[in-house]
Amino acid sequence: MTKRRVAILISGRGSNMTALIEAAKAKDFPADIVLVVSNIAGAAGLARASEAGIATATVESKPFGKDREAFERRLQDTLVSHNIEIVCLAGFLRLLTPWFVKQWDGRMINIHPALLPSYKGLHTHERALADGVKIHGATVHFVVPEMDSGPIIMQGAVAVRDDDTPDLLAARVLEIEHQIYPDSLRLVASGRTRIENGHCKTDAGSPDDALISPEII
Ligand code: GRF
């Protein structure tokens, strides 16, 4: 099996990154995590990646100021120099330009801590609690120019409890993020996803073709 070469882009602690790295250790996992890139120098996830024996790079966004594309060109050079085939955004706190998104059309995925299309943007857990919703969760989706949009690959659900706080809810959602992100990368890297009319479909009959994780935790 030829494994796809994957880069993970982070800005922070990298718990989803770690979940992907762990999953990719399995012999039958269709992807190799070959590079972790941070736009923030000293991001905690970089040390975790190095400990796991994965190449890391820092491409700081700050020096580029508002010139997002100049930053992205540097980032793109780094990805190309490592022959990256698939990009996973994992807590990468940077809006991407249409130019960069186009370079990775159908090959870049993101995890968002809400059941999209609800709660795009920041502070998703606070907003879900403020609305009194009973179900919340996380979504893995292909990246398109519009933020937190794009074909949904997989979603995982958690029940909202009466005594939840944003931190408690975030912790349960994070647990499910760590399940659906590796599962989604497995689907994408093995070529079992396709986009039809803006929706992500999987090949029928594959063992993990369920796009929705109905587990309520
Ligand atoms: C996660 O909640 C993810 O859904 C969001 O940013 C957070 C990153 O956490 N995009 P971590 O760095 O993976 O621990």
Side-chain angles (χ1 to χ4, degrees):
M1 174 181 49
T2 322
K3 297 194 178 207
R4 302 265 79 83
R5 292 174 65 81
V6 171
I8 305 174
L9 307 191
I10 63 164
S11 301
R13 65 188 167 183
S15 74
N16 278 290
M17 172 205 79
T18 303
L20 291 170
I21 290 171
E22 283 302 313
K25 286 180 181 166
K27 262 203 170 127
D28 68 343
F29 199 82
D32 264 337
I33 313 298
V34 296
L35 178 68
V36 170
V37 187
S38 171
N39 69 316
I40 306 282
L46 287 170
R48 295 172 86 170
S50 297
E51 278 161 28
I54 303 208
T56 62
T58 299
V59 182
E60 277 192 277
S61 46
K62 212 170 170 193
F64 292 96
K66 287 191 177 142
D67 195 348
R68 287 196 283 150
E69 214 171 289
F71 159 70
E72 290 171 351
R73 287 191 189 277
R74 183 71 60 80
L75 180 60
Q76 181 70 2
D77 288 347
T78 306
L79 298 172
V80 168
S81 71
H82 284 81
N83 298 315
I84 298 303
E85 298 171 284
I86 296 172
V87 172
C88 294
L89 305 181
F92 186 65
L93 303 176
R94 214 42 218 178
L95 285 177
L96 299 168
T97 67
W99 173 78
F100 186 78
V101 172
K102 193 156 177 259
Q103 308 307 308
W104 296 96
D105 187 25
R107 300 187 299 144
M108 179 157 60
I109 64 180
N110 179 47
I111 186 147
H112 181 73
L115 291 173
L116 291 172
S118 293
Y119 306 117
K120 297 179 179 182
L122 297 174
H123 310 299
T124 55
H125 311 305
E126 284 87 342
R127 286 155 60 207
L129 289 176
D131 284 346
V133 297
K134 299 298 186 198
I135 193 162
H136 186 48
T139 302
V140 181
H141 64 95
F142 284 103
V143 176
V144 297
E146 197 191 329
M147 188 188 66
D148 297 331
S149 302
I152 291 171
I153 301 162
M154 197 173 273
Q155 294 186 301
V158 305
V160 179
R161 297 177 185 161
D162 287 350
D163 55 355
D164 259 333
T165 64
D167 284 349
L168 287 171
L169 185 54
R172 292 205 311 289
V173 170
L174 198 60
E175 221 177 289
I176 213 153
E177 290 183 38
H178 297 164
Q179 296 174 36
I180 63 172
Y181 213 176
D183 284 354
S184 298
L185 178 58
R186 181 184 278 276
L187 279 176
V188 172
S190 58
R192 280 180 288 155
T193 54
R194 62 183 186 282
I195 313 288
E196 273 177 26
N197 299 324
H199 293 170
C200 176
K201 305 269 171 89
T202 52
D203 293 343
S206 62
D208 41 8
D209 64 346
L211 293 185
I212 294 177
S213 163
E215 193 176 353
I216 303 291
I217 56 173

